[in-house]
Amino acid sequence: MATRLSKIINSWVPENSKVIDFGCGDGSLLKELFENKQVLGYGVEINDLKIEKCIEKGIPVIKLDIDKGLNDFMSSNFDLSIMARSIQCLKNPDLALNRMLDLSKRCVVTLPNLGYWRCRINLASGKMPITPELPSSWYETENIHLCTIKDFENLCLKENISIKDKVFINRSGNQGGLSKINPNLFAVEGVYLLEK
Amino acid sequence: MKIETKLIHFSKGIILESGEKLDSFDLMVETYGDLNENKSNAILLCHAFSGNHHAAGKNDDFGVGWWDQLVGPDKPIDTNKYFVVCCNNLGGCAGSSGPASTNSSSGKVFGKSFPQVSVLDWVNSQKMLMDELNIDYWHFIAGGSLGGMQALQWSISYPDKVKKAGIFAAAAKSSSQNIAMNEVARESIRKDENFHNGDYYEHKVIPKNGIKTARMLGHITYLSEEHMDSRFGRKFQDEGSKVEESVSFEVENYLQYKGEQFSELFDANSYILMTKVMDSYDAGKDKTLVEALKDVKAELLIVGFYSDWLYPPERGKEIQIAAMNNNIKSSFVVLQGDHGHDSFLFNSETYSNLISNFIES
């Protein structure tokens, strides 16, 4: 995970909190949070190879298809749930978002911005965007529900989810600059801290 | 691989969960590898329903060990690095005290008078074995099915003695369907004319047909429909290799063969006793499972298999949820598994990587 992104997430995670990371990959972020914030963290992942990596790092992990099984873990109370760069891969991102906020006090969501100018240029030329952040062709991408920064914030509004904090990351991995002025056009990624 | 097999006598006996007492008892134990100097490399393997102390390697009495695919030098449970211990459970019939052993106070075979034991009794007797072997804590305890129940119970009963536990193809309690299947098996044994209400030893007979039928039923529950279809399909058995004249299909012949083989090796009273241990286990008992797990300190690795319909992955998930509610470092992974419930016995790349990564992490 890019250092910038993990720094932002680190700053939002309270010490000794109980965290669940949906789409945790190889467990790197949880490992960082464990070391820096002494969190008790669980990862959720569907890929066996990535699950093996989590176990290797000593990170507790649950093999689960988030689209199917999020309800099962409702009884566990988390301080924070994280969904980094995964929400666009879900069949029902809106339902998942609500579920995450049912099982944790706050949640961190990061998503690639389809409104980013390079994506728009691609679309204007009549093709699906292929950028460094969204490198796959339309037929092989896992991103089935891409949206723009504006779209996502509208969804939060509609679902009565309040945005406690947000950070926009530009192409060089930094905050600020044009991505602060007009994130929907210049941010490649939006990072949100949400509450209900 | 260094293998030692020995019978250990426990002269002070054990008070069982039922309140009954065994004045003394024996455990047949097999160990692999060596305990290191700071005694930090001990692993306990808990066998499933019809398993025994012989987990790895090959010997004349029991052939290849039940977990030989995963236990041995350079295998996921590496006997070059770890001191691995496995015992035949109390009430079994592979050398440890059980219904077929002689009651030292009466000089007669126990038969049906051997007290009913439980998963907790097994764990308590394994704890006595642990003390006998001078082991302070288990780095890892693992088992599949009924063995997984023991690994779970160890974590509950002796939180300071278990660092990591592997609970595979198991459940915190048997389902109504599990109990029902076991009752059919027990009934077939009880209704065998040679059973003599459990005291068949003095009649010098064994209820062979009953055990055979019980095992045939059991065997079906250990496999998946898909596995049986791909292995046997609707193929007919060759005339020349039929074990029973009446069979037509390969699958029938296979069950006949497996049942026959098992009926010569396994004691009928042990069969009944072991199935009752399985049926009666309930980690939560009069509490909820969440409450039952509140003192657990071990890290857990819970593995289920999609092809397992006897203890399906949902049963493992229940343990995982209860563990997470107790802030236990617990992982839950479901693998395909090609062998139904028996999948926990077989090596696969992901399964073995998970186990070795978990042990080493």
Side-chain angles (χ1 to χ4, degrees), chain A residues 95-180:
Chain A
L95 296 183
L97 207 53
N98 278 304
R99 295 276 181 278
M100 281 167 73
L101 284 163
D102 286 336
L103 64 88
S104 61
K105 292 183 199 104
R106 288 182 158 197
C107 99
V108 173
V109 172
T110 88
L111 64 151
N113 173 26
L114 195 68
Y116 177 54
W117 65 271
R118 282 183 136 215
C119 299
R120 298 190 195 197
I121 288 178
N122 270 267
L123 277 170
S125 71
K127 284 190 279 183
M128 277 299 280
I130 292 184
T131 64
E133 293 74 31
L134 299 167
S136 304
S137 310
W138 65 273
Y139 48 84
E140 53 189 12
T141 182
E142 292 174 327
N143 303 325
I144 55 171
H145 280 127
L146 285 166
C147 68
T148 67
I149 294 290
K150 211 181 251 177
D151 290 330
F152 183 73
E153 294 188 3
N154 283 340
L155 175 67
C156 292
L157 203 63
K158 180 175 157 275
E159 301 289 333
N160 287 320
I161 294 168
S162 66
I163 298 172
K164 304 308 286 183
D165 205 347
K166 56 183 174 182
V167 173
F168 299 106
I169 294 175
N170 65 24
R171 227 193 124 194
S172 42
N174 294 317
Q175 298 164 241
L178 289 170
S179 69
K180 212 163 192 173

XYZ file of all heavy atoms in Angstrom, chain A residues 95-180:
685
model
N -25.012 -1.370 -0.046
C -25.358 -2.239 1.087
C -24.138 -2.485 1.969
O -24.221 -2.405 3.200
C -25.898 -3.587 0.582
C -27.205 -3.554 -0.210
C -27.638 -4.968 -0.571
C -28.306 -2.861 0.590
N -23.005 -2.750 1.326
C -21.780 -3.032 2.079
C -21.415 -1.849 2.979
O -21.044 -2.038 4.141
C -20.644 -3.354 1.119
N -21.543 -0.656 2.436
C -21.214 0.551 3.190
C -22.073 0.647 4.462
O -21.575 0.910 5.555
C -21.482 1.759 2.283
C -20.702 3.025 2.515
C -19.210 2.747 2.524
C -21.037 4.043 1.426
N -23.361 0.394 4.288
C -24.258 0.436 5.446
C -23.949 -0.649 6.462
O -23.975 -0.422 7.665
C -25.714 0.345 4.983
C -26.235 1.690 4.532
O -26.190 2.660 5.288
N -26.694 1.771 3.290
N -23.640 -1.842 5.958
C -23.303 -2.942 6.868
C -22.044 -2.632 7.668
O -21.969 -2.895 8.862
C -23.073 -4.240 6.091
C -24.261 -4.790 5.379
C -25.141 -5.645 6.299
N -26.273 -6.166 5.561
C -27.387 -5.490 5.312
N -27.531 -4.257 5.778
N -28.360 -6.038 4.620
N -21.063 -2.080 6.957
C -19.808 -1.747 7.648
C -20.074 -0.771 8.786
O -19.472 -0.867 9.851
C -18.816 -1.107 6.662
C -18.121 -2.116 5.774
S -17.279 -1.305 4.407
C -15.897 -0.556 5.226
N -20.972 0.167 8.554
C -21.264 1.152 9.593
C -22.192 0.602 10.666
O -22.351 1.192 11.721
C -21.812 2.432 8.974
C -20.710 3.267 8.306
C -21.288 4.289 7.355
C -19.834 3.940 9.360
N -22.810 -0.549 10.386
C -23.571 -1.230 11.437
C -22.623 -1.960 12.379
O -22.866 -2.060 13.566
C -24.529 -2.267 10.824
C -25.721 -1.589 10.171
O -26.037 -0.457 10.560
O -26.325 -2.206 9.266
N -21.554 -2.526 11.814
C -20.694 -3.349 12.678
C -19.503 -2.592 13.238
O -18.739 -3.121 14.036
C -20.283 -4.648 11.984
C -19.425 -4.683 10.728
C -17.961 -4.691 11.117
C -19.745 -5.947 9.949
N -19.326 -1.336 12.817
C -18.238 -0.545 13.411
C -18.700 0.901 13.586
O -19.589 1.361 12.880
C -17.002 -0.593 12.507
O -17.309 -0.032 11.248
N -18.054 1.581 14.525
C -18.449 2.963 14.810
C -18.150 3.869 13.622
O -18.928 4.723 13.256
C -17.693 3.477 16.039
C -18.109 2.775 17.321
C -17.371 3.387 18.512
C -17.405 2.442 19.690
N -16.133 1.738 19.906
N -16.958 3.644 13.040
C -16.556 4.486 11.915
C -16.014 3.606 10.806
O -15.629 2.450 11.062
C -15.452 5.462 12.347
C -15.965 6.545 13.244
C -14.860 7.502 13.609
N -15.417 8.791 14.032
C -14.722 9.912 14.098
N -13.447 9.920 13.782
N -15.300 11.031 14.491
N -15.967 4.149 9.629
C -15.322 3.356 8.593
C -14.513 4.206 7.626
O -14.812 5.379 7.385
C -16.344 2.440 7.924
S -17.027 2.929 6.406
N -13.434 3.612 7.161
C -12.556 4.278 6.201
C -12.776 3.636 4.840
O -12.723 2.412 4.706
C -11.062 4.104 6.592
C -10.154 4.650 5.492
C -10.776 4.787 7.913
N -13.078 4.471 3.854
C -13.247 3.936 2.502
C -12.314 4.698 1.569
O -12.236 5.928 1.635
C -14.715 4.107 2.031
C -14.854 3.747 0.557
C -15.648 3.233 2.865
N -11.598 3.993 0.755
C -10.819 4.666 -0.286
C -11.270 4.131 -1.637
O -11.596 2.944 -1.751
C -9.297 4.442 -0.136
O -8.938 3.255 -0.839
C -8.882 4.323 1.315
N -11.330 5.027 -2.611
C -11.805 4.565 -3.913
C -11.123 5.317 -5.044
O -10.786 6.499 -4.902
C -13.332 4.700 -4.012
C -13.917 6.094 -3.960
C -15.214 6.133 -4.737
C -14.165 6.504 -2.534
N -10.918 4.646 -6.158
C -10.361 5.338 -7.319
C -11.424 6.249 -7.922
O -12.607 5.910 -7.910
C -10.004 4.192 -8.273
C -10.879 3.058 -7.892
C -11.173 3.221 -6.422
N -10.990 7.396 -8.409
C -11.926 8.401 -8.921
C -12.046 8.308 -10.449
O -11.094 8.610 -11.174
C -11.418 9.795 -8.505
C -12.238 10.911 -9.124
O -13.414 10.721 -9.453
N -11.615 12.075 -9.276
N -13.211 7.915 -10.908
C -13.430 7.808 -12.356
C -13.583 9.190 -13.006
O -13.516 9.331 -14.224
C -14.661 6.934 -12.645
C -14.810 6.434 -14.076
C -13.725 5.425 -14.426
C -16.179 5.808 -14.306
N -13.747 10.198 -12.139
C -13.882 11.554 -12.676
C -12.535 12.205 -12.982
O -12.477 13.317 -13.526
N -11.461 11.533 -12.600
C -10.103 12.033 -12.842
C -9.939 12.378 -14.323
O -10.393 11.618 -15.193
C -9.112 10.950 -12.399
C -7.666 11.259 -12.645
C -7.097 12.431 -12.162
C -6.865 10.361 -13.349
C -5.756 12.699 -12.382
C -5.532 10.631 -13.569
C -4.976 11.807 -13.094
O -3.658 12.067 -13.327
N -9.252 13.496 -14.610
C -9.253 14.036 -15.988
C -8.767 13.038 -17.020
O -9.267 12.993 -18.134
C -8.486 15.362 -16.057
C -6.997 15.267 -15.771
C -6.407 15.370 -14.576
C -5.964 15.035 -16.725
N -5.057 15.215 -14.676
C -4.741 15.016 -16.006
C -5.919 14.851 -18.114
C -3.515 14.801 -16.613
C -4.681 14.646 -18.723
C -3.500 14.621 -17.970
N -7.809 12.203 -16.661
C -7.297 11.244 -17.644
C -8.382 10.225 -18.034
O -8.456 9.780 -19.175
C -6.101 10.489 -17.064
C -4.848 11.307 -17.086
C -3.687 10.483 -16.562
N -2.514 10.650 -17.398
C -1.636 9.706 -17.653
N -1.820 8.492 -17.185
N -0.574 9.940 -18.383
N -9.195 9.849 -17.028
C -10.304 8.939 -17.321
C -11.280 9.602 -18.282
O -11.791 8.985 -19.210
C -11.047 8.549 -16.044
S -10.034 7.692 -14.864
N -11.500 10.903 -18.008
C -12.454 11.642 -18.852
C -11.948 11.728 -20.282
O -12.732 11.634 -21.230
C -12.685 13.048 -18.293
C -13.295 13.023 -16.899
C -13.738 14.417 -16.503
N -13.994 14.485 -15.067
C -14.689 15.466 -14.504
N -15.175 16.451 -15.244
N -14.881 15.466 -13.215
N -10.648 11.938 -20.446
C -10.086 12.015 -21.802
C -10.275 10.684 -22.523
O -10.705 10.629 -23.672
C -8.593 12.421 -21.761
C -8.503 13.897 -21.367
C -7.915 12.174 -23.098
C -7.083 14.416 -21.238
N -9.981 9.595 -21.787
C -10.200 8.255 -22.357
C -11.636 8.102 -22.841
O -11.878 7.665 -23.958
C -9.933 7.188 -21.301
C -8.496 6.719 -21.288
O -8.151 5.755 -21.924
N -7.661 7.446 -20.580
N -12.560 8.468 -21.953
C -13.982 8.315 -22.292
C -14.365 9.224 -23.460
O -15.111 8.816 -24.350
C -14.857 8.623 -21.077
C -15.034 7.449 -20.110
C -15.699 7.927 -18.825
C -15.864 6.332 -20.736
N -13.788 10.444 -23.440
C -14.100 11.391 -24.516
C -13.633 10.849 -25.863
O -14.238 11.114 -26.895
C -13.451 12.744 -24.231
N -12.569 10.069 -25.830
C -12.096 9.493 -27.093
C -12.849 8.201 -27.419
O -12.503 7.479 -28.348
C -10.588 9.228 -27.034
O -10.337 8.151 -26.164
N -13.864 7.898 -26.597
C -14.751 6.774 -26.922
C -14.291 5.448 -26.360
O -14.778 4.398 -26.762
N -13.340 5.489 -25.396
C -12.838 4.218 -24.842
C -12.939 4.194 -23.322
O -12.881 5.244 -22.670
C -11.370 4.031 -25.249
C -11.223 3.602 -26.702
C -9.805 3.202 -27.015
C -8.948 4.421 -27.279
N -7.588 4.134 -27.656
N -13.056 2.982 -22.765
C -13.036 2.856 -21.308
C -11.654 3.272 -20.810
O -10.642 2.960 -21.445
C -13.318 1.409 -20.892
C -14.797 1.048 -20.854
S -15.721 2.047 -19.665
C -15.319 1.214 -18.131
N -11.625 3.967 -19.677
C -10.332 4.479 -19.183
C -9.342 3.369 -18.825
O -9.730 2.379 -18.193
C -10.722 5.236 -17.909
C -12.191 5.408 -17.957
C -12.740 4.322 -18.798
N -8.119 3.565 -19.286
C -7.020 2.750 -18.768
C -5.946 3.719 -18.297
O -5.397 4.490 -19.083
C -6.470 1.785 -19.841
C -7.535 0.729 -20.160
C -5.191 1.103 -19.339
C -7.092 -0.350 -21.124
N -5.719 3.738 -16.980
C -4.748 4.660 -16.381
C -3.858 3.845 -15.450
O -4.157 2.683 -15.185
C -5.488 5.726 -15.531
O -6.140 5.067 -14.438
C -6.517 6.502 -16.348
N -2.775 4.448 -14.939
C -1.933 3.696 -13.998
C -2.740 3.183 -12.789
O -2.432 2.134 -12.232
C -0.890 4.713 -13.553
C -0.814 5.687 -14.675
C -2.205 5.764 -15.250
N -3.777 3.925 -12.390
C -4.577 3.507 -11.230
C -5.627 2.479 -11.612
O -6.059 1.677 -10.789
C -5.276 4.710 -10.590
C -4.344 5.714 -9.944
C -3.569 6.573 -10.962
O -4.124 6.832 -12.046
O -2.417 6.928 -10.676
N -6.057 2.521 -12.873
C -7.073 1.574 -13.349
C -6.517 0.883 -14.601
O -6.919 1.179 -15.726
C -8.375 2.325 -13.696
C -9.056 3.077 -12.553
C -10.139 4.024 -13.084
C -9.649 2.117 -11.533
N -5.572 0.002 -14.391
C -4.796 -0.508 -15.521
C -5.473 -1.607 -16.359
O -5.007 -1.900 -17.452
C -3.538 -1.079 -14.846
C -3.967 -1.430 -13.469
C -5.106 -0.535 -13.119
N -6.568 -2.191 -15.874
C -7.107 -3.361 -16.565
C -8.126 -2.987 -17.635
O -8.833 -1.983 -17.521
C -7.777 -4.303 -15.566
O -6.876 -4.651 -14.558
N -8.225 -3.820 -18.648
C -9.242 -3.635 -19.683
C -10.618 -3.895 -19.089
O -10.750 -4.594 -18.083
C -9.031 -4.635 -20.817
O -7.707 -4.605 -21.241
N -11.621 -3.356 -19.756
C -12.982 -3.469 -19.217
C -13.397 -4.926 -18.995
O -14.140 -5.238 -18.082
C -13.983 -2.771 -20.156
C -14.113 -3.423 -21.520
C -13.329 -3.168 -22.610
C -15.028 -4.436 -21.901
N -13.697 -3.957 -23.666
C -14.755 -4.747 -23.255
C -16.070 -5.113 -21.256
C -15.469 -5.714 -23.974
C -16.780 -6.071 -21.976
C -16.478 -6.365 -23.316
N -12.868 -5.846 -19.823
C -13.320 -7.237 -19.739
C -12.573 -8.044 -18.683
O -12.954 -9.157 -18.357
C -13.210 -7.935 -21.102
C -11.888 -7.748 -21.794
C -10.803 -8.564 -21.494
C -11.717 -6.727 -22.722
C -9.586 -8.378 -22.127
C -10.497 -6.523 -23.355
C -9.438 -7.353 -23.054
O -8.239 -7.157 -23.659
N -11.483 -7.492 -18.164
C -10.770 -8.267 -17.140
C -10.677 -7.542 -15.798
O -10.086 -8.065 -14.866
C -9.379 -8.672 -17.638
C -8.567 -7.513 -18.141
C -7.272 -7.940 -18.848
O -7.126 -9.129 -19.145
O -6.447 -7.047 -19.082
N -11.273 -6.380 -15.722
C -11.161 -5.630 -14.469
C -12.078 -6.205 -13.389
O -13.143 -6.756 -13.678
C -11.500 -4.136 -14.678
O -11.326 -3.469 -13.430
C -12.942 -3.942 -15.142
N -11.613 -6.074 -12.140
C -12.468 -6.472 -11.013
C -13.367 -5.312 -10.583
O -14.267 -5.471 -9.783
C -11.601 -6.883 -9.821
C -10.819 -8.164 -10.055
C -9.870 -8.458 -8.904
O -9.345 -7.523 -8.283
O -9.678 -9.658 -8.635
N -13.076 -4.130 -11.160
C -13.812 -2.932 -10.755
C -15.138 -2.852 -11.507
O -15.201 -2.339 -12.618
C -12.983 -1.679 -11.053
C -11.632 -1.729 -10.380
O -11.510 -2.267 -9.268
N -10.619 -1.209 -11.024
N -16.184 -3.348 -10.895
C -17.462 -3.376 -11.607
C -18.358 -2.201 -11.252
O -19.342 -1.951 -11.918
C -18.219 -4.708 -11.339
C -18.388 -4.933 -9.836
C -17.494 -5.878 -11.992
C -19.303 -6.091 -9.494
N -17.998 -1.464 -10.180
C -18.819 -0.328 -9.779
C -17.972 0.905 -9.549
O -17.915 1.431 -8.433
C -19.614 -0.680 -8.508
C -20.838 -1.483 -8.776
N -21.109 -2.667 -8.153
C -21.854 -1.272 -9.627
C -22.252 -3.153 -8.596
N -22.729 -2.331 -9.502
N -17.330 1.348 -10.614
C -16.510 2.557 -10.486
C -17.418 3.786 -10.378
O -18.523 3.798 -10.927
C -15.610 2.681 -11.713
C -14.425 1.713 -11.740
C -13.809 1.671 -13.129
C -13.383 2.105 -10.695
N -16.927 4.786 -9.659
C -17.698 6.020 -9.546
C -16.752 7.202 -9.437
O -15.534 7.026 -9.303
C -18.614 5.961 -8.325
S -17.725 5.985 -6.768
N -17.329 8.386 -9.484
C -16.514 9.602 -9.303
C -16.633 10.033 -7.846
O -17.478 9.538 -7.093
C -17.022 10.744 -10.206
O -18.329 11.117 -9.734
C -17.120 10.304 -11.660
N -15.757 10.957 -7.481
C -15.794 11.533 -6.131
C -17.199 12.085 -5.847
O -17.778 11.865 -4.783
C -14.742 12.670 -6.024
C -13.327 12.101 -6.154
C -14.932 13.512 -4.768
C -12.832 11.258 -5.012
N -17.743 12.771 -6.838
C -19.064 13.379 -6.693
C -20.133 12.301 -6.458
O -20.982 12.432 -5.580
C -19.387 14.185 -7.959
C -20.265 15.391 -7.721
C -20.548 16.115 -9.026
C -19.825 17.437 -9.109
N -20.054 18.108 -10.411
N -20.060 11.239 -7.264
C -21.019 10.142 -7.118
C -20.982 9.564 -5.698
O -22.016 9.318 -5.089
C -20.681 8.977 -8.076
C -20.950 9.327 -9.527
O -21.867 10.137 -9.778
O -20.248 8.782 -10.399
N -19.766 9.356 -5.223
C -19.631 8.722 -3.904
C -20.200 9.617 -2.808
O -20.916 9.155 -1.919
C -18.166 8.379 -3.618
C -17.982 7.663 -2.316
C -18.367 6.331 -2.181
C -17.456 8.319 -1.206
C -18.224 5.676 -0.960
C -17.314 7.662 0.013
C -17.705 6.333 0.128
N -19.897 10.878 -2.893
C -20.391 11.796 -1.853
C -21.920 11.930 -1.921
O -22.571 12.078 -0.888
C -19.681 13.142 -1.958
C -18.203 12.985 -1.621
C -17.430 14.290 -1.496
O -18.036 15.375 -1.620
O -16.206 14.221 -1.250
N -22.459 11.835 -3.134
C -23.926 11.839 -3.266
C -24.544 10.603 -2.623
O -25.598 10.673 -1.997
C -24.335 11.895 -4.745
C -24.185 13.295 -5.312
O -24.132 14.269 -4.545
N -24.097 13.393 -6.619
N -23.852 9.463 -2.786
C -24.353 8.226 -2.158
C -24.359 8.378 -0.634
O -25.331 8.019 0.035
C -23.486 7.022 -2.572
C -23.843 5.691 -1.888
C -25.231 5.197 -2.325
C -22.797 4.610 -2.177
N -23.289 8.936 -0.089
C -23.217 9.141 1.364
C -24.378 10.019 1.832
O -25.013 9.740 2.853
C -21.887 9.789 1.752
S -20.491 8.688 1.506
N -24.640 11.071 1.063
C -25.736 11.989 1.391
C -27.063 11.232 1.410
O -27.856 11.330 2.345
C -25.766 13.097 0.323
C -26.424 14.412 0.701
C -25.661 15.074 1.839
C -26.461 15.346 -0.527
N -27.270 10.438 0.371
C -28.521 9.696 0.222
C -28.711 8.681 1.362
O -29.829 8.463 1.821
C -28.498 8.968 -1.127
C -29.743 8.155 -1.429
C -29.678 7.560 -2.846
C -30.567 6.357 -2.975
N -29.953 5.107 -2.552
N -27.619 8.081 1.801
C -27.698 7.048 2.837
C -27.552 7.629 4.242
O -27.399 6.871 5.205
C -26.611 5.983 2.618
C -26.669 5.271 1.262
C -27.852 4.313 1.140
O -28.321 3.796 2.180
O -28.309 4.101 0.001
N -27.553 8.946 4.355
C -27.368 9.609 5.660
C -26.067 9.232 6.341
O -26.002 9.060 7.568
C -28.528 9.288 6.608
C -29.776 10.020 6.197
O -29.714 11.184 5.800
N -30.897 9.321 6.245
N -25.038 9.074 5.555
C -23.717 8.770 6.115
C -22.934 10.073 6.163
O -22.862 10.790 5.160
C -22.988 7.737 5.224
C -23.734 6.398 5.259
C -21.535 7.558 5.665
C -23.290 5.407 4.210
N -22.397 10.391 7.350
C -21.690 11.675 7.411
C -20.193 11.483 7.171
O -19.584 10.540 7.667
C -21.960 12.393 8.734
O -21.416 11.659 9.786
N -19.639 12.399 6.412
C -18.212 12.349 6.085
C -17.469 13.140 7.161
O -17.575 14.363 7.242
C -17.973 12.945 4.677
C -18.718 12.088 3.630
C -16.474 13.007 4.360
C -18.725 12.660 2.223
N -16.756 12.440 8.037
C -16.061 13.094 9.148
C -14.744 13.725 8.695
O -14.276 14.687 9.276
C -15.769 12.099 10.283
C -16.966 11.370 10.841
C -18.088 12.281 11.257
C -17.795 13.035 12.545
N -18.994 13.862 12.903
N -14.153 13.131 7.699
C -12.883 13.647 7.194
C -12.689 13.094 5.792
O -13.222 12.034 5.473
C -11.727 13.204 8.111
C -10.540 14.153 8.020
O -10.511 14.984 7.085
O -9.644 14.062 8.880
N -11.953 13.829 4.963
C -11.645 13.293 3.643
C -10.340 13.869 3.137
O -9.978 15.005 3.471
C -12.779 13.552 2.654
C -13.191 15.004 2.496
C -14.374 15.108 1.539
C -14.893 16.540 1.477
N -16.067 16.674 0.594
N -9.643 13.043 2.371
C -8.364 13.469 1.819
C -8.338 13.027 0.357
O -8.787 11.924 0.033
C -7.190 12.800 2.587
C -5.865 13.103 1.914
C -7.160 13.260 4.044
N -7.813 13.907 -0.491
C -7.727 13.532 -1.909
C -6.268 13.401 -2.316
O -5.435 14.217 -1.925
C -8.451 14.561 -2.779
C -9.904 14.652 -2.429
C -10.392 15.746 -1.726
C -10.770 13.624 -2.751
C -11.732 15.819 -1.367
C -12.112 13.687 -2.391
C -12.591 14.788 -1.700
N -6.026 12.384 -3.078
C -4.646 12.102 -3.455
C -4.505 12.336 -4.956
O -5.343 11.889 -5.745
C -4.283 10.655 -3.065
C -4.287 10.538 -1.534
C -2.947 10.255 -3.641
C -4.076 9.157 -1.029
N -3.434 13.063 -5.307
C -3.220 13.315 -6.734
C -2.287 12.266 -7.333
O -1.851 11.343 -6.659
C -2.727 14.745 -6.968
C -1.355 14.970 -6.353
O -0.588 14.028 -6.153
N -1.051 16.221 -6.044
N -1.965 12.477 -8.581
C -1.251 11.436 -9.315
C 0.110 11.115 -8.726
O 0.588 9.991 -8.797
C -1.105 11.866 -10.768
C -1.480 10.724 -11.668
C -1.049 10.996 -13.065
N -0.205 9.923 -13.523
C 0.531 9.988 -14.581
N 0.567 11.085 -15.294
N 1.250 8.956 -14.934
N 0.754 12.123 -8.126
C 2.075 11.840 -7.563
C 1.985 11.289 -6.138
O 2.975 11.161 -5.442
C 2.945 13.096 -7.613
O 2.198 14.224 -7.234
N 0.771 10.967 -5.720
C 0.608 10.331 -4.415
C 0.528 11.324 -3.268
O 0.603 10.927 -2.112
N 0.404 12.598 -3.585
C 0.350 13.614 -2.530
C -1.036 14.212 -2.404
O -1.866 14.071 -3.288
C 1.339 14.743 -2.841
C 2.759 14.243 -2.786
O 3.127 13.489 -1.885
N 3.547 14.635 -3.773
N -1.215 14.917 -1.267
C -2.447 15.675 -1.103
C -2.209 17.080 -1.640
O -1.077 17.457 -1.913
C -2.798 15.825 0.379
C -3.047 14.551 1.103
C -2.996 14.763 2.594
O -2.188 14.177 3.260
N -3.864 15.616 3.108
N -3.273 17.823 -1.711
C -3.126 19.232 -2.020
C -3.077 19.522 -3.509
O -3.396 18.686 -4.342
N -2.656 20.764 -3.820
C -2.597 21.204 -5.206
C -3.978 21.225 -5.818
O -4.980 21.489 -5.154
N -4.015 20.887 -7.086
C -5.276 20.944 -7.820
C -6.310 19.962 -7.271
O -7.508 20.209 -7.332
C -5.024 20.649 -9.301
C -4.277 21.745 -10.079
C -3.868 21.254 -11.450
C -5.162 22.990 -10.203
N -5.798 18.834 -6.736
C -6.738 17.817 -6.240
C -7.535 18.324 -5.041
O -8.575 17.789 -4.703
C -6.015 16.515 -5.886
O -5.217 16.698 -4.758
N -7.020 19.371 -4.394
C -7.747 19.949 -3.259
C -8.818 20.919 -3.767
O -9.912 20.995 -3.221
C -6.759 20.693 -2.347
C -7.164 20.648 -0.893
C -5.987 21.013 0.004
C -6.277 20.690 1.435
N -5.093 20.886 2.285
